[in-house]
Amino acid sequence: MSVPQVTTLPNGLRVVTDRMEGVETASIGVWVDVGTRNEPAEINGVAHLLEHMAFKGTERRSARAIAEEIETVGGHLNAYTSREHTAYYARILQADVPLAVDILSDILQHSVFDAEELQRERTVILQEIGQALDTPDDLIFDLFQEQAYPDQGLGRPVLGQAEIIRTIGRGAIADYMGTHYGAARMVLSAAGAVEHDRIVDLAAERFGALRNKPAIAPEAARYIGGERRDDKDLEQVHLVLGFPSVGYADPDYYAASVLSTLVGGGMSSRLFQEIREKRGLVYTIYAFGAAYGDGGLFGIYAGTGEDEVTELMPALCDSLVETADSLTEAEILRTRAQLKASLLMGLESSSSRAEHFANHMLIYGRPLSSAEIVRQIEAVDSIAVARVARRIFQAPPTFAALGPIGNVESYDRIVGRLAP
């Protein structure tokens, strides 16, 4: 695998590229070190609204022209907002890389936020929010996040709240972009059929005038925990049980990744085998980790029946409590193999590589090679996994339940089951 190349422009914009031999396409995008947790409470959802509005017209392109220009050459343009980052990216043929850079630079520097387009996009996002509210296995994660980090940006929904989205004006969007979209907080990342020097030249030409702005640090994460229960007339009970976990820079980050996969990362995982295969209590159960710059979350999602939840919670808690003292070498080997395979298979895609190295630049300030990550995974042994399991599962939990929750046992009872 090639070694990514990095250049920093005079204004602070970082350019990272990874050339892939034998491909004729390229993935290129701009990742911005700002997301939902950077929003003031009164404009929750503005980061996501800005992401939408960036495609709705610039000083020299209409919304339709943006879509038609990229699709006329067979390309694809998209974006996403997360709690800490926002990304705008394209996939194109090698010859059309300059067009992609031009469009990305245009929407990120010259968007006009037309009033009529804004009104239409408000309606679109309100529909998106309504769809999320009607999708319990999505909604439960917002409830869980809000309970883990109440009254702070990290706990608010990425989509925003309907009553706020209805009133956010053009000025708030422009001010948010003007405040946070500085050159030094951006990474232009490209992978596939790309030449580093050519990408740097294009970046300098199209983004060279972008001003650098001092980063405004978001408020520090304050994990609180506790419980959130919403009684709803649904077919299933949706549950998330979680704990404070580690951030990207924590020495236990890779051990926590192994733990998450071992506990609930596949059909051979402990929870899948015990809860679904052996007991038949769920259709879906899995573990997940969410790392941030200053902390993280470890959680387990399960969807179960109103009657089955009575047996599910004790079985789930018992499995977590037993983890640290019952690890086997075979589990550790299998889990490390899963993580390595997932990493390397993902990096066969140019879009995954572009995102992979962009995130590394934002998080670590440099791209991490796959060999370096594999070494970190290989270094995780049963002692490290046991240590991080005790560290995580003995912390105060966050519990969220949605649906017919009459048979869900009390928070205090769950805490008691998890006690060492």
Side-chain angles (χ1 to χ4, degrees):
M1 186 175 291
S2 60
V3 177
Q5 294 180 268
V6 178
T7 296
T8 301
L9 300 185
N11 63 357
L13 178 77
R14 289 162 289 173
V15 180
V16 57
T17 68
D18 185 40
R19 178 167 178 79
M20 301 169 65
E21 299 297 336
V23 301
E24 298 183 12
T25 64
S27 296
I28 188 163
V30 176
W31 276 256
V32 191
D33 190 21
V34 63
T36 306
R37 72 176 299 185
N38 300 87
E39 300 169 344
E42 62 272 16
I43 53 171
N44 173 218
V46 70
H48 177 249
L49 180 55
L50 167 56
E51 173 226 308
H52 277 239
M53 287 303 299
F55 295 92
K56 298 306 173 184
T58 69
E59 294 168 5
R60 60 189 176 96
R61 287 182 172 97
S62 66
R64 180 168 182 168
I66 292 170
E68 287 183 346
E69 280 191 52
I70 197 73
E71 292 186 359
T72 294
V73 298
H76 172 74
L77 191 64
N78 211 336
Y80 67 81
T81 305
S82 71
R83 288 190 161 84
E84 293 192 312
H85 302 147
T86 310
Y88 305 81
Y89 55 92
R91 181 120 190 241
I92 62 283
L93 297 177
Q94 180 178 11
D96 301 311
V97 166
L99 173 65
V101 175
D102 183 52
I103 292 176
L104 289 168
S105 70
D106 196 21
I107 67 175
L108 291 174
Q109 297 176 93
H110 307 295
S111 286
V112 295
F113 308 128
D114 177 77
E116 290 185 8
E117 291 285 358
L118 175 56
Q119 190 55 44
R120 277 192 290 269
E121 211 55 29
R122 276 202 194 97
T123 302
V124 170
I125 292 176
L126 289 171
Q127 292 173 5
E128 190 177 359
I129 292 171
Q131 181 174 311
L133 293 174
D134 285 342
T135 310
D137 50 347
D138 285 344
L139 177 59
I140 188 67
F141 288 96
D142 278 346
L143 301 181
F144 169 74
Q145 189 82 18
E146 183 181 2
Q147 187 60 50
Y149 297 107
D151 301 318
Q152 52 193 297
L154 202 52
R156 298 186 191 108
V158 171
L159 298 182
Q161 301 164 62
E163 60 272 21
I164 294 177
I165 296 300
R166 290 190 183 98
T167 61
I168 292 179
R170 179 191 181 282
I173 301 170
D175 288 347
Y176 184 84
M177 188 177 211
T179 299
H180 294 289
Y181 277 49
R185 301 190 73 177
M186 293 183 175
V187 171
L188 190 151
S189 181
V194 295
E195 297 288 347
H196 182 74
D197 290 344
R198 177 60 173 145
I199 298 297
V200 171
D201 288 344
L202 289 169
E205 179 183 342
R206 297 301 182 186
F207 288 94
L210 183 64
R211 290 185 302 157
N212 194 2
K213 297 163 188 166
I216 301 173
E219 63 177 316
R222 294 175 289 104
Y223 174 87
I224 302 297
E227 69 169 340
R228 170 72 181 271
R229 296 172 183 241
D230 279 18
D231 197 343
K232 276 197 168 186
D233 184 16
L234 301 172
E235 291 295 320
Q236 277 201 312
V237 183
H238 299 267
L239 308 167
V240 176
L241 175 64
F243 308 85
S245 186
V246 302
Y248 292 110
D250 194 287
D252 279 333
Y253 174 74
Y254 289 99
S257 298
V258 171
L259 175 67
S260 176
T261 304
L262 184 150
V263 168
M267 291 189 295
S268 64
S269 67
R270 289 190 168 200
L271 291 178
F272 193 94
Q273 286 296 312
E274 177 66 23
I275 305 297
R276 174 173 164 157
E277 297 296 276
K278 180 179 176 181
R279 298 174 183 257
L281 295 175
V282 300
Y283 174 69
T284 302
I285 187 167
Y286 58 84
F288 62 91
Y292 307 115
D294 55 351
L297 293 170
F298 180 104
I300 299 101
Y301 165 82
T304 190
E306 186 175 2
D307 296 330
E308 287 78 7
V309 73
T310 305
E311 183 182 348
L312 170 63
M313 290 311 300
L316 171 57
C317 293
D318 288 348
S319 181
L320 298 181
V321 169
E322 294 165 2
T323 301
D325 297 319
S326 59
L327 296 167
T328 68
E329 190 61 27
E331 281 183 304
I332 300 295
L333 291 172
R334 182 173 63 244
T335 304
R336 291 196 313 224
Q338 286 178 264
L339 288 173
K340 289 184 292 183
S342 177
L343 168 70
L344 297 174
M345 289 176 184
L347 292 180
E348 292 183 354
S349 156
S350 65
S351 55
S352 293
R353 283 204 201 188
E355 180 176 36
H356 180 78
F357 292 121
N359 284 327
H360 285 181
M361 294 299 298
L362 293 177
I363 295 165
Y364 304 112
R366 65 181 181 89
L368 275 59
S369 70
S370 57
E372 182 177 355
I373 297 173
V374 166
R375 284 196 299 271
Q376 296 271 20
I377 294 170
E378 289 282 11
V380 176
D381 57 17
S382 58
I383 295 173
V385 177
R387 181 185 65 250
V388 78
R390 292 189 181 96
R391 174 182 173 183
I392 291 174
F393 298 149
Q394 292 179 12
T398 299
F399 180 65
L402 175 67
I405 59 174
N407 291 337
V408 180
E409 61 187 27
S410 71
Y411 177 78
D412 288 343
R413 181 64 171 151
I414 294 169
V415 171
R417 293 187 185 281
L418 293 166

